[in-house]
Amino acid sequence: MDEIVRQAVARAIMTMRDNLGERLTIDDLAQSAMFSKFHFTRVFLRVTGLSPGRFLSALRLAEAKRLLATTAISVADISHQVGYNSVGTFSARFSGSVGFSPTGYRQLRGTRPQIVERTGQVSSEAAVRGHVRRPPGAESGPVFVGLFPAKIAEGAPARYTILPSAGPYTLTDVPLGSWYVITHAFGVCPNDDRGLRPLTGLAGPVTVYRGVAASLADVRLRPRHGFDPPVLLALPDLRPAAPVRHPVAV
């Protein structure tokens, strides 16, 4: 990634994070990136996989998740803190993205025991399969593998599985359409003294056609960084039950 582009997108994301409760326009974000509005939108999409508006919305809902799980602030106050004028609109968008109402998410303390898949879509009777690979020399715990229509873990996945660790996966009876394979896990990496870190991976789009038995999509886990959209869907706790050993550099 070009360093100028990287710094420009990073400035825009920092502006978003610093102003979650404020009204931000594309002009505001393009100005912070020091790009023209039209060039900024194209560049931001290329770097993050989402439009600036959708990325900002995801940051707002991610902050709401954090506040609901870690504070006693009321749902109404949280909705205003993250930029919503209507509690009803906030609750509807939160529920659609996270899979629970704000109150329900708070009661779960930020994790969920089970994920509900998308319904009402045409089945292809096909499979998506591949291999989830760890970063070289790294160790990881359980791995969530899900199919989503965009480059963000938001809303109900078309299909999903949770692997005990990185390795082969198969998602069966996948609905017709184009899907991104998104993976999430926790692990430790060589030469990284920060300990257990969130890992992510992305492959696709994978287009599933009728009559095609299987599509292949390998995914490589890597440490999450600031250009990755937040994980909005409430997931089970993927942290290893036993400490993951710190790998030796290879």
Side-chain angles (χ1 to χ4, degrees):
M1 187 189 311
D2 182 89
E3 182 63 17
I4 294 176
V5 169
R6 189 192 69 81
Q7 291 181 3
V9 173
R11 285 194 299 271
I13 293 175
M14 182 61 67
T15 298
M16 294 178 185
R17 293 186 183 278
D18 289 344
N19 298 277
L20 292 178
E22 305 299 323
R23 182 178 179 273
L24 287 174
T25 67
I26 293 297
D27 287 327
D28 296 329
L29 296 172
Q31 185 175 8
S32 69
M34 294 188 288
F35 279 169
S36 72
K37 177 171 65 175
F38 303 105
H39 183 51
F40 166 72
T41 300
R42 291 193 299 270
V43 164
F44 193 96
L45 179 63
R46 175 163 59 87
V47 172
T48 68
L50 298 180
S51 68
R54 191 163 185 187
F55 198 97
L56 174 59
S57 177
L59 289 181
R60 285 173 166 156
L61 292 177
E63 175 64 4
K65 286 176 62 180
R66 185 189 71 82
L67 293 172
L68 286 164
T70 61
T71 75
I73 301 172
S74 71
V75 171
D77 286 344
I78 288 174
S79 69
H80 293 307
Q81 284 191 32
V82 298
Y84 285 85
N85 294 323
S86 164
V87 178
T89 299
F90 165 72
S91 296
R93 292 189 179 172
F94 187 96
S95 300
S97 295
V98 178
F100 288 95
S101 68
T103 301
Y105 183 79
R106 169 168 275 165
Q107 291 171 346
L108 288 172
R109 299 179 180 271
T111 62
R112 69 188 299 171
Q114 187 176 3
I115 298 170
V116 178
E117 295 177 334
R118 287 173 180 259
T119 59
Q121 294 186 304
V122 179
S123 171
S124 66
E125 299 182 355
V128 173
R129 61 170 58 104
H131 202 104
V132 179
R133 305 187 186 281
R134 297 186 296 260
E139 295 290 340
S140 73
V143 181
F144 168 84
V145 183
L147 294 180
F148 295 89
K151 296 179 180 180
I152 180 172
E154 176 181 33
R159 294 291 182 267
Y160 83 96
T161 188
I162 296 179
L163 307 176
S165 62
Y169 74 90
T170 300
L171 301 170
T172 59
D173 196 24
V174 175
L176 298 174
S178 292
W179 308 101
Y180 290 93
V181 183
I182 300 179
T183 58
H184 291 288
F186 286 87
V188 290
C189 300
N191 302 320
D192 189 338
D193 58 4
R194 286 171 286 184
L196 200 64
R197 296 189 60 195
L199 307 175
T200 191
L202 173 73
V206 178
T207 302
V208 177
Y209 301 97
R210 188 180 300 279
V212 177
S215 299
L216 302 179
D218 290 343
V219 190
R220 183 173 296 279
L221 290 168
R222 58 167 176 77
R224 286 183 57 82
H225 54 57
F227 299 131
D228 291 318
V231 179
L232 296 184
L233 175 65
L235 296 176
D237 191 349
L238 298 174
R239 290 170 295 184
V244 177
R245 68 178 179 86
H246 203 293
V248 177
V250 293

